C-alpha cells in the first residue's frame, strides 16, 4: 500500500476527479525553543483531520489518514464529533481499508452534488 504522504496525495487527486475539493491541513506542531509544541488551535486545531475541504455541494469534509493503527486519538474523535454535529462528513482512511474508503468517498460525493 502507498505511504502516508502518497495516500494523502492519492485521496486529494481522486476527490478532485469526483468534484470534491480537499487540501492538506497543517496538523503538526511548531518549533519553539527546545522542541515541537502542539499549536492547539492556532493552525488546524488539536485533533483536526489531515485533509479538509468541501464536497461538490459545499458541505465540509475531513479525512484522517492513518498509518498502521486505525485508532483515532481522543482529540480526533472529539473533532470528528464536532464535524458531524455541524452536518459535515468525517472519515478515517487506513492502508488496510484504502479501497473501501475510496468507494465510500465516491458514494458520498455522488450523493452530495448540487
Amino acid at each position: 500500500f502507498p505511504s502516508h504522504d502518497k495516500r494523502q496525495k492519492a485521496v486529494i487527486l481522486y476527490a478532485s476527479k469526483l468534484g470534491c475539493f480537499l487540501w492538506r491541513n497543517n496538523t503538526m506542531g511548531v518549533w519553539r525553543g527546545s522542541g515541537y509544541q502542539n499549536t492547539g488551535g492556532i493552525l488546524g486545531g488539536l485533533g483536526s483531520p489531515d485533509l479538509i475541504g468541501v464536497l461538490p455541494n459545499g458541505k465540509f469534509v475531513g479525512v484522517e489518514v492513518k498509518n498502521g493503527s486505525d485508532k483515532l486519538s481522543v482529540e480526533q474523535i472529539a473533532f470528528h464529533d464536532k464535524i458531524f454535529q455541524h452536518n459535515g462528513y468525517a472519515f478515517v482512511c487506513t492502508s488496510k481499508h484504502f479501497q473501501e474508503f475510496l468507494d465510500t468517498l465516491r458514494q458520498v460525493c455522488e450523493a452530495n452534488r448540487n
Side-chain angles (χ1 to χ4, degrees):
F1 288 97
S3 70
H4 186 264
D5 287 344
K6 287 184 180 179
R7 273 185 287 131
Q8 283 187 356
K9 290 176 186 175
V11 169
I12 290 170
L13 290 172
Y14 184 66
S16 71
K17 291 180 180 183
L18 299 171
C20 182
F21 178 48
L22 292 179
W23 61 92
R24 283 193 58 188
N25 179 29
N26 187 351
T27 59
M28 302 218 22
V30 293
W31 184 261
R32 293 208 176 119
S34 62
Y36 281 100
Q37 291 181 343
N38 190 298
T39 56
I42 297 170
L43 296 175
L46 190 59
S48 64
D50 294 319
L51 306 175
I52 59 174
V54 291
L55 295 172
N57 65 357
K59 281 195 173 189
F60 182 86
V61 62
V63 180
E64 181 63 34
V65 180
K66 287 296 195 184
N67 219 14
S69 170
D70 33 340
K71 288 188 175 184
L72 294 174
S73 69
V74 172
E75 295 83 7
Q76 290 169 328
I77 292 169
F79 207 102
H80 280 215
D81 288 346
K82 285 286 188 188
I83 292 170
F84 293 132
Q85 288 170 9
H86 289 85
N87 297 318
Y89 290 84
F91 300 100
V92 180
C93 173
T94 65
S95 56
K96 186 176 179 182
H97 299 103
F98 187 63
Q99 187 58 54
E100 291 93 335
F101 163 76
L102 294 179
D103 293 342
T104 299
L105 181 62
R106 179 183 47 75
Q107 292 169 3
V108 168
C109 285
E110 288 172 358
N112 284 277
R113 297 217 177 272
N114 289 339

